[in-house]
């Protein structure tokens, strides 16, 4: 199988079959917290995609050239948290300086991602699956896209829930959680897909 | 011995990253006027939009940039406005304090309904069905869109009609623009006399549909010593600049549509 086909299959399976939010249950906090409006959901997921892609690349380099080289691969969780936190801060500063418009669109969401488990998850999964550099980056990017797909779909549903007649005990978060569960069950339909 | 390598590696990583961030913070620093933060701290922080800007931070930026006057914020306390003016070195005039007033007194027992509404609890939604379920086209629907628009918990629906809590109201006007019937109005806070009806229907029609509606009989107009109340389009309207809150119109009104509260009662 050529590399390109392999990468396309990897990203498709990450987005649909192994969706980060709805199947792996990573990044649930922003999924519930920032999904009241489609607009903010898109902003948040763009920021997540961006950080996940860059974080996969950086953590891969750290893993291979630092941790593996010194034989301390077991320190990956701590090291990755450090790398991701610094990375997010750094990216935020750079964006603020060079692209105020992008900063206005993503800026408020960036600090939220520092401790997002989807970002740490993608870094750790890269190591677990023993992906090489290209695979890691593609996996990170499509992980971000899978997050975007889930949160934008969810925000669309929640916007419509706003105006529907919901029984009182279920208003607010209960109905949101039920909706999330139903969407996750819908994504179970992709489980049978075989490439 | 085994523990030393990871400790060193992580320690060095931390140090390098810390240094990197320190350098980056210097290299990529964006000059920001520190007054923006000071001004924002003094503002009410409700993001009510009463000033016409996107929120308190946008308003603070506009104030510092000299594009807006601090007094444009209706929600901030006067002392704070003066402090902001001091920071900015501009003068502010104290505008008259305004509060919202709902001009309808057609409570459930005084009005009738055309049909039973069973849908979204939202005034705009019910307004789309023939102007609302109440028979009066001008009256409060009582579905509380203004209540949800209020950021200060100052407006509540009591017995089918919205009421403003004048102590809590800041006069931001969020409810005024939300009401589909346009029956909420910003009035001077010292005003104590109101015609609590907005109906332009003729008196004959009003008598059938609402016990608390103005019939445009002009008795108030004739009795006003200051020429401050006039009936236009079948509805009495008070000129708040001329009104001295004497309460004569309220006592003469045959329909008890004019609300008058003595000083200290409001």
């Amino acid at each position: 199988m050529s590399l390109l086909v392999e990468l396309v299959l990897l990203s498709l399976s990450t987005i649909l079959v192994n969706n980060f939010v709805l199947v792996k249950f990573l990044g649930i906090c922003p999924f519930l917290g920032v999904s009241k409006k489609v607009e903010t959901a898109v902003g948040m997921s763009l920021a997540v995609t961006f950080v996940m892609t860059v974080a996969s690349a950086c953590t891969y380099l750290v893993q291979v050239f630092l941790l593996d080289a010194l034989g301390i691969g077991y320190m990956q969780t701590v090291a990755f948290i450090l790398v991701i936190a610094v990375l997010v801060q750094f990216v935020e500063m750079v964006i603020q300086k060079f692209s105020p418009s992008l900063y206005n669109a993503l800026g408020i969401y960036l600090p939220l991602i520092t401790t997002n488990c989807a970002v740490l998850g993608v870094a750790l999964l890269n190591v677990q699956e023993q992906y090489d550099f290209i695979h890691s980056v593609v996996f990170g990017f499509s992980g971000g896209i899978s997050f975007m797909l889930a949160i934008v779909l969810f925000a669309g549903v929640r916007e419509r829930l706003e105006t529907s007649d919901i029984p009182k005990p279920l208003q607010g978060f209960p109905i949101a959680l039920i909706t999330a569960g139903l969407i996750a069950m819908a994504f179970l339909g992709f489980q049978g897909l075989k490439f | 011995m085994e523990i030393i390598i990871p400790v060193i590696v992580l320690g060095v990583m931390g140090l390098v990253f810390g240094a990197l961030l320190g350098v980056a913070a210097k290299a990529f620093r964006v000059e920001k006027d520190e007054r923006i933060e000071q001004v924002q701290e003094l503002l009410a922080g409700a993001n009510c939009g009463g000033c016409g800007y996107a929120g308190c931070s946008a308003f603070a930026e506009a104030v510092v940039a000299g594009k807006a006057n601090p007094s444009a914020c209706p929600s901030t306390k006067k002392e704070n406005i003066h402090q902001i003016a001091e920071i900015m070195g501009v003068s502010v005039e104290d505008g008259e304090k305004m509060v919202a007033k709902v001009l309808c007194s057609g409570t459930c027992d005084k009005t009738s309904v055309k049909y039973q509404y069973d849908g979204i609890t939202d005034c705009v939604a019910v307004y789309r069905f023939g102007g609302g379920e109440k028979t009066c086209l001008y009256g409060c629907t009582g579905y509380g869109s203004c209540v949800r628009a209020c950021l200060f918990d100052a407006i509540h629906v009591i017995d089918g009609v919205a009421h403003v809590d004048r102590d809590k109201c800041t006069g931001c006007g969020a409810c005024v623009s939300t009401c589909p019937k346009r029956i909420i109005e910003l009035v001077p806070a010292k005003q104590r006399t109101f015609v609590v009806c907005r109906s332009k229907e003729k008196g004959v029609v009003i008598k059938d549909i609402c016990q608390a509606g103005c019939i445009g009989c002009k008795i108030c107009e004739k009795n006003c010593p200051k020429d401050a109340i006039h009936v236009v389009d079948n509805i009495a309207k008070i000129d708040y600049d001329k009104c001295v809150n004497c309460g004569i119109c309220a006592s003469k009104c045959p329909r008890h549509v004019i609300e008058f509260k003595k000083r200290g009662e409001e």
Side-chain angles (χ1 to χ4, degrees), chain B residues 15 17 33 56 79 93 95 99 109-110 167 173 208 210 216 234-235 249:
Chain B
L15 273 177
F17 287 152
D33 202 327
C56 290
E79 305 97 79
E93 305 110 54
V99 289
D109 53 320
K110 288 176 179 155
D167 293 332
D208 285 342
C210 179
N234 300 316
I235 176 79
C249 52

Side-chain angles (χ1 to χ4, degrees), chain B residues 116-129:
Chain B
Q116 284 292 321
Y117 177 75
D118 186 16
I120 307 167
T121 38
D122 181 83
C123 298
V124 181
V126 67
Y127 179 66
R128 289 194 178 147
F129 294 102

Side-chain angles (χ1 to χ4, degrees), chain A residues 62 66-67 70 72 74-75 78-79 82-83 86 89-90 93-94 96-98 163 165, chain B residues 2 5-6 9-10 13-14 17-18 20-21 24-25 27-30 32 118-120:
Chain A
V62 168
L66 207 62
L67 301 183
L70 292 167
I72 48 167
Y74 56 87
M75 290 303 286
V78 185
L82 191 62
V83 171
V86 171
Q89 292 289 321
F90 185 72
M93 280 189 239
V94 174
Q96 191 175 13
K97 176 79 177 176
F98 293 110
T163 49
D165 201 8
Chain B
E2 252 176 43
I5 298 173
V9 169
L10 280 181
M13 269 171 82
F17 287 152
L20 192 77
L21 278 187
F28 298 120
R29 197 171 62 189
V30 178
K32 237 187 166 183
D118 186 16
I120 307 167

Side-chain angles (χ1 to χ4, degrees), chain B:
Chain B
M1 214 32 217
E2 252 176 43
I3 202 166
I4 291 188
I5 298 173
V7 167
I8 291 175
V9 169
L10 280 181
V12 170
M13 269 171 82
L15 273 177
V16 170
F17 287 152
L20 192 77
L21 278 187
V23 172
K26 277 255 165 74
F28 298 120
R29 197 171 62 189
V30 178
E31 291 297 332
K32 237 187 166 183
D33 202 327
E34 56 189 23
R35 289 180 301 179
I36 295 180
E37 223 164 84
Q38 291 174 354
V39 171
Q40 198 179 342
E41 256 169 44
L42 286 168
L43 290 172
N47 294 316
C48 65
C51 56
Y53 287 89
C56 290
S57 61
F59 180 64
E61 270 173 40
V63 167
V64 173
K67 286 186 213 148
N69 192 289
S71 60
C73 175
S75 309
T76 304
K77 281 188 218 131
K78 266 195 195 137
E79 305 97 79
N80 287 9
I81 295 274
H82 283 295
Q83 274 187 40
I84 295 172
E86 246 169 60
I87 293 172
M88 294 305 305
V90 294
S91 62
V92 285
E93 305 110 54
D94 293 334
E96 194 171 16
K97 174 146 172 56
M98 305 289 270
V99 289
K101 174 78 192 165
V102 182
L103 297 180
C104 176
S105 49
T107 46
C108 298
D109 53 320
K110 288 176 179 155
T111 51
S112 51
V113 290
K114 285 181 280 197
Y115 56 87
Q116 284 292 321
Y117 177 75
D118 186 16
I120 307 167
T121 38
D122 181 83
C123 298
V124 181
V126 67
Y127 179 66
R128 289 194 178 147
F129 294 102
E133 85 191 298
K134 273 187 187 157
T135 325
C136 176
L137 272 179
Y138 300 89
C140 178
T141 61
Y143 281 95
S145 286
C146 50
V147 178
R148 288 183 289 279
C150 185
L151 294 158
F152 304 97
D153 190 36
I155 192 163
H156 297 283
V157 175
I158 302 164
D159 203 12
V161 173
H163 282 276
V164 176
D165 183 337
R166 300 183 79 171
D167 293 332
K168 285 184 185 166
C169 181
T170 64
C172 70
C175 51
V176 176
S177 49
T178 308
C179 180
K181 300 247 186 170
R182 295 283 177 267
I183 52 167
I184 309 180
E185 180 171 84
L186 286 181
V187 299
K190 63 175 170 42
Q191 181 68 24
R192 284 173 284 118
T193 318
F194 302 100
V195 180
V196 272
C197 179
R198 263 289 176 87
S199 172
K200 290 177 179 164
E201 300 280 6
K202 289 207 171 78
V204 208
V205 184
I206 292 280
K207 276 187 176 165
D208 285 342
I209 59 178
C210 179
Q211 292 168 36
C214 172
I215 52 173
C217 64
K218 300 202 179 185
I219 291 178
C220 50
E221 196 176 307
K222 282 169 202 144
N223 282 290
C224 181
K226 295 283 178 188
D227 190 36
I229 187 162
H230 291 281
V231 174
V232 182
D233 292 338
N234 300 316
I235 176 79
K237 186 136 182 52
I238 297 175
D239 183 339
Y240 299 128
D241 291 333
K242 288 184 185 169
C243 179
V244 292
N245 293 307
C246 64
I248 293 176
C249 52
S251 61
K252 298 284 181 191
C253 180
R255 305 276 294 169
H256 308 290
V257 192
I258 303 181
E259 177 190 298
F260 171 69
K261 290 196 169 132
K262 288 200 186 106
R263 199 180 291 274
E265 257 182 22
E266 66 253 60

